[in-house]
Amino acid sequence: MFKALVVNKDEETGKTSAAVQDMTLDQLPAGDVTVSVEYSTVNYKDGLCIGPGGGLVRNYPHIPGIDFAGTVEASDDARYKVGDKVVLTGWRVGEAHWGGYAQKARVKADWLVPLPEGLDTRAAMAVGTAGFTAMLSVMALEDHGLKPGDGPVLVTGAAGGVGSVAVALLAALGHEVAGVTGRPETSDYLKGLGASQIVAREEINETVKRPLEAETWAGCVDAVGGAMLARVLGQMKYGASVAAVGLAGGAGLPATVIPFLLRGVNLLGIDSVMQPYGNRVRAWQRIASDLPMDKLEAMVVLATLPDLPTLGSDILKGQVKGRVVVDVTA
């Protein structure tokens, strides 16, 4: 027997409910590798899947948790043996496939990545999908020419999971970082992560008639989308890039093509779900080498399985700061 957060749906009312239940191994879905899960996290998608599903969950009962880290307990794949430490993000685990909010998980071997040297399972989930996405964003900006000394790099939604790790990473790599937040009380937190400038959300959240403004930002990690992304595109330096990772501010993009045509600005889409294996390994190795773990620890709030229904609701309201690490063994 093991414990899991199980979401059930009342077919008559359409309402969902989440509670910790006892499960057995034979209830797990098919897969190559069974993992004894140690830690997971709380992401925006998790909030949707704990609650009404947001269109992500098709079948109930369901176990959410879009990422996890743990130890291989059984394996039918030669790449992984019992006792190996592994991490999983993406592949629609926790959405279409049962995820990490359980003490056991069974998944395809292709979905796993070996835990890199220098990280334990707790630290890996302090990073989690959010930190993995932040690292992919930084790598994409670097691949398109961003270097320390080029100028300030903007991070929108800076106090959130992706934003927090992006701020810490960029600062550790020697960049001047400007963090956008709508919560003034998070200013000290962001400065502690390495932000040298705090930009109030109101300053940058409105569309303007001018397609181009002063060249201000050498790069940007954008977790907001919508009107803010449109505004930021017109403020990028010549040839600079924006890594788009989220849509907290909406899926629309009320922009013009002028920044692309007159300043050669690049808009880089960042997807963490279907990333090829090689990119995943590269990103996790960079995380282990470049992310300051003391800064990471400052972001962490510990939680347990019974805390998840409340936390799922909180993250949908924008009330979660930093990284929530779920100890599923507690």
Side-chain angles (χ1 to χ4, degrees), residues 15-301:
K15 292 184 178 180
T16 57
S17 59
V20 178
Q21 297 180 14
D22 288 324
M23 307 283 290
T24 60
L25 282 173
D26 59 6
Q27 291 176 276
L28 289 174
D32 309 311
V33 183
T34 302
V35 178
S36 178
V37 180
E38 294 159 21
Y39 294 97
S40 186
T41 64
V42 179
N43 301 277
Y44 192 86
K45 281 184 178 179
D46 294 317
L48 292 173
C49 294
I50 292 170
L56 301 176
V57 180
R58 301 297 173 85
N59 299 302
Y60 293 89
H62 180 68
I63 297 176
I66 69 168
D67 48 21
F68 62 78
T71 304
V72 173
E73 188 172 280
S75 174
D76 297 325
D77 189 284
R79 288 171 289 179
Y80 297 101
K81 64 182 186 299
V82 174
D84 285 350
K85 299 291 185 180
V86 292
V87 60
L88 182 146
T89 62
W91 300 113
R92 298 208 65 206
V93 170
E95 305 171 41
H97 190 92
W98 283 9
Y101 290 167
Q103 293 169 339
K104 309 286 183 186
R106 188 178 291 133
V107 297
K108 292 183 178 180
D110 289 342
W111 297 346
L112 297 169
V113 174
L115 196 66
E117 291 288 332
L119 286 181
D120 58 23
T121 53
R122 184 184 185 280
M125 283 299 99
V127 176
T129 294
F132 174 67
T133 305
M135 188 73 251
L136 291 174
S137 302
V138 172
M139 286 164 45
L141 293 176
E142 291 174 344
D143 290 345
H144 283 78
L146 180 67
K147 304 181 301 298
D150 285 349
V153 180
L154 190 71
V155 178
T156 69
V162 176
S164 293
V165 181
V167 169
L169 268 172
L170 287 163
L173 291 167
H175 295 280
E176 178 186 349
V177 184
V180 180
T181 180
R183 296 178 278 173
E185 67 276 11
T186 63
S187 294
D188 289 342
Y189 164 77
L190 292 173
K191 289 177 180 177
L193 295 179
S196 55
Q197 180 183 352
I198 305 299
V199 179
R201 181 168 58 197
E202 307 81 59
E203 293 181 22
I204 205 166
N205 201 34
E206 295 180 4
T207 55
V208 293
K209 293 182 179 180
R210 301 185 304 280
L212 294 176
E213 298 182 77
E215 296 184 40
T216 305
W217 315 115
C220 174
V221 176
D222 174 60
V224 176
M228 186 177 294
L229 173 55
R231 181 82 181 272
V232 167
L233 288 170
Q235 298 179 349
M236 303 305 296
K237 291 189 173 186
Y238 187 90
S241 300
V242 178
V245 302
L247 42 63
L253 186 58
T256 75
V257 297
I258 298 301
F260 309 123
L261 302 182
L262 298 188
R263 284 192 185 155
V265 171
N266 305 296
L267 181 58
L268 312 175
I270 306 298
D271 166 63
S272 66
V273 176
M274 306 302 289
Q275 278 289 321
Y277 179 80
N279 286 355
R280 291 175 181 273
V281 172
R282 177 185 168 212
W284 279 106
Q285 289 174 341
R286 284 286 306 274
I287 286 165
S289 64
D290 294 346
L291 181 61
M293 291 303 160
D294 57 332
K295 302 292 187 184
L296 186 67
E297 193 58 34
M299 307 178 201
V300 170
V301 177

